[in-house]
Amino acid sequence: MIILRTAAAFVALAALGGTAHATECPRPGTLGTSRVLTVDPATYPRVGLKSFPQTLPLADREVVLTFDDGPAATTPTVLKALADECVRATFFLVGKPASEMGDMVRRIAAGGHTIGHHTYTHQHLSALSHADALTEIDRGIAADEAVMRAKGIPVATTRFFRFPYFESTPALLDDLQARGIPVFGADLWASDWNPMTPDEQLKLITERLTATGRGIILFHDPRKQTAEMMPAFLRWLRENHYRVVHVVPSDEAGHAVASDTHGRTAR
């Protein structure tokens, strides 16, 4: 099952019936991160309604923020926006740029964000042989984790993975499930691979989120329009009473500290 917990409140969680308060953000009036979800791969091997029949059990107005394809030159702008609002997210790194930008990986981890994996060179895996696709996946994971070890970042045994272009195959999904690697799809996306202004992108994603009410959101931190839009989007979440949920692997729950600046519990 998915366990809801923070490092400071694990024992109290059971007594509260699954409700966890988190450490408060030092800046009042910010969005904050309302709670931490620890993902058990045995129960949630793949999530995201755009690709799979199952997603994370989020309450109304709860969102999980995810970013693909980094690190990149625009990643610091995204990290600053998240830090300014005391928000934690998940970054699905591509191995080659990660190996070239180790200090950026360190900055992502230092912000308390979860690091997931997104292959080594972002290829269309469904167009490769099964063996070659697995090599691309494993090479990406190895590259990310080599940087993490070099920078003193804890490496999770339970890894999160997202397919480039969401192009999975049944055989690859079965292989990752057998290895205990949860696969993340998304419930909605910003479509930020399409050129648009930050204002246009903000309008698009807020309309989609208003329609769905909750979900795992896909962004791309290498996209300049996304980086420029992020402060306004986080402000919109705060003003419209959304809550950010931080997902972590089962063996990293003790490393995660979240904040609940509103004093709310999950509904």
Side-chain angles (χ1 to χ4, degrees), residues 73-155:
T74 47
T75 302
T77 304
V78 172
L79 292 175
K80 183 181 186 305
L82 296 172
D84 286 347
E85 289 285 348
C86 289
V87 167
R88 296 192 174 179
T90 298
F91 288 78
F92 288 91
L93 304 183
V94 177
K96 188 173 188 296
S99 66
E100 296 166 349
M101 303 179 71
D103 285 342
M104 193 63 63
V105 176
R106 178 188 56 77
R107 289 181 63 179
I108 292 169
H113 306 292
T114 296
I115 291 177
H117 309 285
H118 199 45
T119 75
Y120 186 71
T121 56
H122 204 277
Q123 296 188 51
H124 292 269
L125 298 187
S126 61
L128 302 179
S129 70
H130 183 71
D132 287 346
L134 286 177
T135 297
E136 172 74 2
I137 292 170
D138 289 338
R139 189 181 181 194
I141 293 173
D144 296 341
E145 293 185 349
V147 171
M148 293 168 70
R149 291 189 181 95
K151 298 297 180 180
I153 303 166
V155 176

Side-chain angles (χ1 to χ4, degrees), residues 44-59:
Y44 287 88
R46 54 198 76 150
V47 293
L49 298 177
K50 287 289 188 181
S51 302
F52 308 116
Q54 181 183 49
T55 193
L56 297 173
L58 301 175

Side-chain angles (χ1 to χ4, degrees), residues 154-179:
V155 176
T157 301
T158 302
R159 304 168 176 93
F160 291 168
F161 179 78
R162 180 178 271 154
F163 282 89
Y165 313 104
F166 295 112
E167 291 180 357
S168 62
T169 69
L172 289 171
L173 288 171
D174 288 345
D175 183 90
L176 292 172
Q177 183 171 353
R179 293 162 60 184

